[in-house]
Amino acid sequence: MMFKDLSQGIKISIARSITTSFEQYMISIEWDEKRFSMQNFVNEWRDYINNHSSWFNQISDEMKENPQFHEELADKINVAIEKIFTEEPTEAQIEEINSLQKELKAEVSYSCKMEAKYVIDKMKEQLKKKQSN
């Protein structure tokens, strides 16, 4: 049994675990691409699936030990990351960032929807600090 043989629910859970742990990892390195390490991300993902994912316990140990399964998972990770980086920010995100940049008199760069979400959160944090001072 290989990745393609898994139930749709488990495949969706795997994709979600990759996306969630990737977002957490990128936040932890403050979306600094120079600090990105695929090995560090994979380690964080492994930790996430061992401690927070139900799908990991639903597949057999035999499958978990199969090199072909690991290759297929690596492909899935690469596809998921590529999708994240190519997903355009929404119009609403772009408008919100433009507004926050004006308010903070700061310019920030971002390249994808997930990074735009991070930028918005960070800028809102900065705005709260500025307003509380």
Side-chain angles (χ1 to χ4, degrees), residues 22 56 79 83 126:
F22 186 77
F56 195 66
V79 167
K83 183 179 178 204
Q126 290 174 353

Side-chain angles (χ1 to χ4, degrees), residues 5-21:
D5 302 320
L6 294 172
S7 74
Q8 192 61 27
I10 290 178
K11 288 180 191 176
I12 289 169
S13 292
I14 290 171
R16 193 173 299 126
S17 71
I18 294 167
T19 302
T20 301
S21 56

Side-chain angles (χ1 to χ4, degrees), residues 97-109:
I97 288 171
N98 288 340
S99 172
L100 287 164
Q101 286 182 128
K102 283 178 189 158
E103 209 164 337
L104 289 166
K105 295 177 178 53
E107 201 165 306
V108 293
S109 60

Side-chain angles (χ1 to χ4, degrees), residues 12-91:
I12 289 169
S13 292
I14 290 171
R16 193 173 299 126
S17 71
I18 294 167
T19 302
T20 301
S21 56
F22 186 77
E23 183 174 23
Q24 289 172 353
Y25 173 71
M26 292 306 288
I27 288 169
S28 77
I29 63 167
E30 299 179 322
W31 275 87
D32 182 346
E33 291 165 29
K34 290 182 214 99
R35 292 172 58 193
F36 181 82
S37 158
M38 181 58 93
Q39 188 57 54
N40 289 347
F41 162 65
V42 170
N43 290 342
E44 192 152 311
W45 179 65
R46 267 196 205 110
D47 182 59
Y48 179 87
I49 62 174
N50 282 314
N51 297 310
H52 305 290
S53 281
S54 59
W55 69 264
F56 195 66
N57 296 323
Q58 294 175 24
I59 60 174
S60 70
D61 289 340
E62 180 185 340
M63 180 181 256
K64 289 176 193 170
E65 293 164 8
N66 187 315
Q68 184 181 349
F69 179 68
H70 285 272
E71 280 180 39
E72 292 172 1
L73 271 180
D75 289 343
K76 186 77 178 156
I77 289 170
N78 289 330
V79 167
I81 290 172
E82 180 66 26
K83 183 179 178 204
I84 289 166
F85 280 126
T86 58
E87 191 173 7
E88 296 286 325
T90 65
E91 280 301 314

Side-chain angles (χ1 to χ4, degrees), residues 89-127:
T90 65
E91 280 301 314
Q93 285 179 314
I94 293 168
E95 287 172 20
E96 188 168 7
I97 288 171
N98 288 340
S99 172
L100 287 164
Q101 286 182 128
K102 283 178 189 158
E103 209 164 337
L104 289 166
K105 295 177 178 53
E107 201 165 306
V108 293
S109 60
Y110 55 96
S111 59
C112 64
K113 184 178 180 179
M114 190 182 282
E115 185 178 18
K117 179 181 180 287
Y118 168 78
V119 164
I120 289 167
D121 291 344
K122 290 303 275 184
M123 292 178 85
K124 282 181 173 178
E125 241 175 66
Q126 290 174 353
L127 197 57

